[in-house]
Amino acid sequence: MPDDVVTMEKIVALCKRRGFVFPSSEIYGGLGSTYDYGHYGVLLKSNVKDAWWRAMLSRDDVVAIDSAILQHPRVWEASGHVGGFSDPLVDCRTCKSRFRADHLDQVACPRKPSKHPGEGPDCDLTQAREFNLMFQTHVGPVQDTASVAYLRPETAQGIFINFKNVLQFARKKPPFGIAQVGKSFRNEITPGNFIFRTREFEQMEMEFFVPPTDTPRWYRYWIEERERWYLELGIRPDHLRVRAHEADELSHYSSGTSDIEYLFPIGWSELEGVADRGSYDLTQHSEHSGEKLEYFDTASGERYVPHVVEPAAGADRAALAFLVDAYDEEDVPVAGDGERTERRTVLRLHPRLAPVKAAVLPLVKKDGQPELAREIAQTLSGVLQVEYDEGGSIGKRYRRQDEIGTPWCLTVDHRSLEDRTVTVRDRDSLGQERVAIDELAQLLAGRLAGPWRSPKLTAVA
Ligand code: GAP
């Protein structure tokens, strides 16, 4: 099996070159591990989030919520984050660097990169101490302990504290779920690997409330369901696996967690966690707030605290996995010269995730072709994300669209003005077909809705 050509460096370079993701605050020298999303990155991540929302809200047992990022500080006491959401840290008194005490063997000493921190002749490490990962701020003008607030480190707690509201207003009963997408913040000690681990990121989390005895069944159900979601969006099955946590890896709230892992260029790493949180969160918030967070089943007369099964995914990390899985390079004939070949980079993204679905390209910038191409782009823009491009040779424009993963290029040529047809070029097979302009919208919408399989599967199988 030939090796995948993708590396993290190539993904970072392509994201920068094509305007997907840039280092944040770049004109000021950047701010460690923060990133800004450009046009195509915004479109890609928004397609990932849309696909997630669609998977959740096409069911009648899941409702949506959008809770505040700033919450009452007692939320984080109840959740265990004030007391327990920390990493052990050591400082080096010599180089003033800070390291995770449990990861010393994975990093290099900044002064002597062939050694680990603590091994160099000048290293002078402090004792390990716990460092809380939550970002603190103050609400209002006074900066005292009474005004302390935290930027949420997960979206989940905003769901638990609204359990009663949703029960009342959405008229749901277990089993049912509450879904949320939004920013979370963690002052990670060792962020890195591009957008894999950052201090500000987006999560897509759903808390599914179930009768306690049904928990094992729903836990298994959501692992399978979430795995299927990635596969349906084109992730290659041999690059996805489920790994159950060992007992000593479990978070303070969890009695069982399985990670859905992706084979990133950095190795198998967590893409999403599915956790059995039991009754931990609702019980904690009941005790700390004094509000009863339970369900009363009028039919059976039973009163209970529902258990929670939580699929928790990262939108940025998922976008990175889709980019990595889609990245490909191949030699193709040079346009208009059957003899020579050139190397092209192509993102073989699932069409539903592709930032741009179709590019409309006039072959030449004259003879009425730009006008007709603009008219087509204008008509299609009501149905799907299209882009009009007339800059540079047709070969260059194809390469540009290949690199951003556009599945179809619609080329307007001299014949288009005579018979109102265009050529539709397929990003993956490079096949071209002639299609009537009036049929384009229906044809492309049909292809977008259909099943899809990564062409990389057949290429490396
Ligand atoms: N509510 C449970 C929870 O937050 P988690 O495993 O800490 O669980 C869930 O986070 C997902 O959020 C992860 O699987 C990952 O995709 C994403 N995530 C977590 N920390 C991240 C970070 N620092 N940068 C980017 N994504 C992150």
Side-chain angles (χ1 to χ4, degrees), residues 174-176 208-216 218 222 304-309:
F176 79 98
F208 201 71
F209 300 91
V210 301
T213 49
D214 290 352
T215 316
W218 282 109
W222 279 110
Y304 63 86
V305 179
H307 280 202
V308 170
V309 175

Side-chain angles (χ1 to χ4, degrees), residues 153-154 156 186 188 195-199 201-203 205 207 253 270-273 277 310 312-314 316-317:
E154 62 172 10
R186 296 181 191 176
E188 300 277 5
I195 52 172
F196 180 85
R197 179 169 286 109
T198 50
R199 297 193 169 106
F201 53 97
E202 269 187 288
Q203 289 189 305
E205 299 198 289
E207 309 302 319
Y253 53 74
E270 174 186 344
L271 194 49
E272 165 161 358
R277 297 181 76 123
E310 173 198 66
D316 311 84
R317 207 175 276 186

Side-chain angles (χ1 to χ4, degrees), residues 73 137-149:
T137 185
H138 292 269
V139 172
V142 183
Q143 299 212 355
D144 60 13
T145 47
S147 68
V148 164

Side-chain angles (χ1 to χ4, degrees), residues 207-263:
E207 309 302 319
F208 201 71
F209 300 91
V210 301
T213 49
D214 290 352
T215 316
R217 182 165 69 83
W218 282 109
Y219 177 57
R220 284 195 303 275
Y221 171 88
W222 279 110
I223 294 170
E224 278 172 28
E225 199 59 17
R226 294 301 306 147
E227 195 184 10
R228 199 163 61 81
W229 184 81
Y230 291 103
L231 296 174
E232 274 181 9
L233 287 172
I235 293 284
R236 290 162 296 163
D238 58 353
H239 281 59
L240 200 69
R241 73 177 186 191
V242 174
R243 187 184 66 81
H245 279 205
E246 302 291 338
D248 61 355
E249 283 180 85
L250 293 174
S251 311
H252 59 280
Y253 53 74
S254 167
S255 42
T257 297
S258 290
D259 283 346
I260 299 176
E261 296 187 334
Y262 178 73
L263 185 52

